[in-house]
Amino acid sequence: MARNASLSGFPELLPQERIVEQHVIDSLRTTFELHGFGSIETRAVETIEQLLRKGEIDKEVYAVSRLQAEEGAGDASLALHFDLTVPFSRYVVENAGYLTFPFKRYQIQKAWRGERPQEGRAREFTQADFDVVGDGALPFLHDVEIVLLAVDALSALPIPEFKIRVNNRKLAEGFYRGLGLEDTAGVLRNIDKLEKIGAEAVARLLREELAASELQAQAALELAQIRSADLSFVDQVSALAERHNVQNELFDEGLAELSSVLRAAITRAPGTVIADLSIARGLDYYTGTVIETVLVGHEALGSICSGGRYDALARKGNRVFPGVGLSIGVSRLVARMLSQNLATASRAVPTVVYVALNADQDWAAAQDVAAVLRSRGIATEVAVSAEKFGKQIKFADRRGIPFVWFLGEDGNSQVKDIRSGEQLAADPHSWQPAEAELRAQVTRNSPAS
């Protein structure tokens, strides 16, 4: 980032940085739509009751109230949403009669969370979510579809290599029950801390908080240490289950589902998707496939794309709307791209052409030229004073504008590429820059050797 924000946790971008962020957003939008996902937007505020009904996050929520609210107005019960999943579940319930299921949605919006700011974690940030929601049931193949869409969406971005780490909560919960550990949510919450606090600390928590035996704790940790980019994990998991005499239908179902995800990924994105049995996702509403994604070489940044299957997050009476989806941390990604110079915008402005003035009275004629260029999709600015051509060219160069247009008598204009110095005769009705010049280009930078 170019400078520190004056209000901690609420970053602002310079124009060239904003171009990088917009490129990421535009690329994601294009990929989502190519896969048939439609765009929605939900309101920024929800009721506090709605936000807090899943998970213990009350300290992270920003409450909303009016400075001069009337007594009893009820505004104190509102808060800014801290993610897009909870608002989306409400949206589905309230609009179920107008939606066609399975409903495929993507949503790129701001969210707010009052946690301690650090790189990759801001208090105001942008997320890009994509989900498939069913009415009553949702075929498992949508889990596979979501993973493959994540591969396509992230592969289109100017970012380093990434790994999508996949597990299945059914597999894990069934294994724990087979061991005799009934508080599966508690086990999962502790396993989710594995990378942060280490195996020994997790084992201690399992013994102290959940009354797990040494054998049960070690078996749970053994499962969490299995990972592979191929189907070899199936034999490893099966052997571990046999050794501990784990027999559970939920375990068998989860193992089959995870195998299906890996089988599809091996065919379409070999080496990118990894079965990682340590992935737990701490939120209780996940019921099947769970996913986290890391940038290779930037693992300390944390997950850049995470989520999974949720079968009961959205309900309307006896009607249940199961879903599966992921959230890409746009702000987290962009912050790392900028701080590590992983990607660069070719210029800080959209302008392609700067029309210079021979004299102040030429401004109207310059606007005519600009209007023709703009009608053809060429972003154009017009000088406001007839300074020396050298100063006008220097101004365009400082702005990052590649071409300067010089008006000529009887319409005989010329255009100069101020990077190469090449100057040619030009007609605004037919002159065309290279395709790559029409928009600021964002390119991935090679890592320093």
Side-chain angles (χ1 to χ4, degrees), residues 10-307:
F10 296 85
E12 295 175 328
L13 301 179
L14 295 175
Q16 196 157 355
E17 297 170 333
R18 175 65 171 151
I19 285 174
V20 173
E21 182 182 58
Q22 285 183 311
H23 174 83
V24 170
I25 291 171
D26 290 345
S27 177
L28 292 174
R29 181 172 65 243
T30 297
T31 305
F32 295 155
E33 293 182 357
L34 284 172
H35 282 253
F37 285 63
S39 175
I40 70 163
E41 181 171 292
T42 57
R43 63 198 185 210
V45 297
E46 299 288 340
T47 65
I48 293 177
E49 180 184 5
Q50 175 76 17
L51 288 175
L52 300 187
R53 68 189 183 91
K54 292 287 184 178
E56 297 294 331
I57 40 70
D58 53 300
K59 294 182 180 179
E60 298 179 358
V61 172
Y62 281 107
V64 175
S65 62
R66 290 183 292 160
L67 290 178
Q68 299 181 16
E70 297 177 6
E71 187 175 347
D75 288 359
S77 66
L78 299 179
L80 295 172
H81 60 229
F82 58 85
D83 72 358
L84 303 181
T85 301
V86 174
F88 177 55
S89 68
R90 174 199 51 78
Y91 177 94
V92 169
V93 169
E94 292 182 357
N95 294 283
Y98 304 95
L99 303 176
T100 301
F101 295 94
F103 176 51
K104 296 183 176 182
R105 138 296 196 174
Y106 77 88
Q107 187 174 349
I108 304 175
Q109 270 185 254
K110 295 275 191 184
W112 296 266
R113 189 174 297 178
E115 56 189 359
R116 184 172 64 86
Q118 53 187 298
E119 185 181 3
R121 289 188 180 274
R123 292 173 172 171
E124 180 181 61
F125 53 94
T126 300
Q127 290 186 188
D129 285 21
F130 51 104
D131 295 73
V132 184
V133 173
D135 185 357
L138 184 71
F140 169 73
L141 276 178
H142 287 297
D143 292 42
V144 181
E145 177 186 21
I146 283 290
V147 173
L148 297 180
L149 172 50
V151 172
D152 284 357
L154 294 173
S155 296
L157 300 180
I159 59 176
E161 180 185 2
F162 59 90
K163 298 293 183 184
I164 297 177
R165 304 156 66 190
V166 186
N167 194 8
N168 193 292
R169 292 276 285 252
K170 295 177 185 176
L171 187 164
E173 290 184 21
F175 184 82
Y176 302 150
R177 289 175 185 172
L179 290 174
L181 295 170
E182 292 302 321
D183 185 0
T184 57
V187 179
L188 284 165
R189 280 194 295 271
N190 283 307
I191 291 295
D192 197 39
K193 303 172 185 176
L194 186 58
E195 290 189 354
K196 294 181 179 179
I197 65 177
E200 185 176 334
V202 170
R204 184 173 62 253
L205 289 174
L206 293 175
R207 293 192 301 268
E208 294 176 355
E209 295 182 2
L210 304 175
S213 68
E214 183 68 33
L215 185 63
Q216 289 171 325
Q218 289 307 314
L221 286 170
E222 276 190 73
L223 182 72
Q225 289 164 0
I226 294 174
R227 57 183 52 84
S228 71
D230 55 32
L231 292 173
S232 63
F233 78 92
V234 177
D235 291 336
Q236 298 177 60
V237 172
S238 299
L240 180 64
E242 184 177 355
R243 192 162 72 249
H244 291 278
N245 196 30
V246 170
Q247 297 180 19
N248 184 280
E249 290 185 6
L250 192 63
F251 166 80
D252 294 337
E253 185 179 342
L255 183 57
E257 289 183 354
L258 184 55
S259 301
S260 296
V261 171
L262 261 291
R263 192 173 291 111
I266 290 167
T267 300
R268 299 186 177 276
T272 300
V273 180
I274 298 171
D276 187 334
L277 281 293
S278 70
I279 302 303
R281 302 296 298 157
L283 293 172
D284 292 345
Y285 57 69
Y286 290 116
T287 55
T289 303
V290 283
I291 298 158
E292 291 188 355
T293 309
V294 295
L295 293 180
V296 175
H298 302 265
E299 288 82 0
L301 181 65
S303 180
I304 60 164
C305 175
S306 57

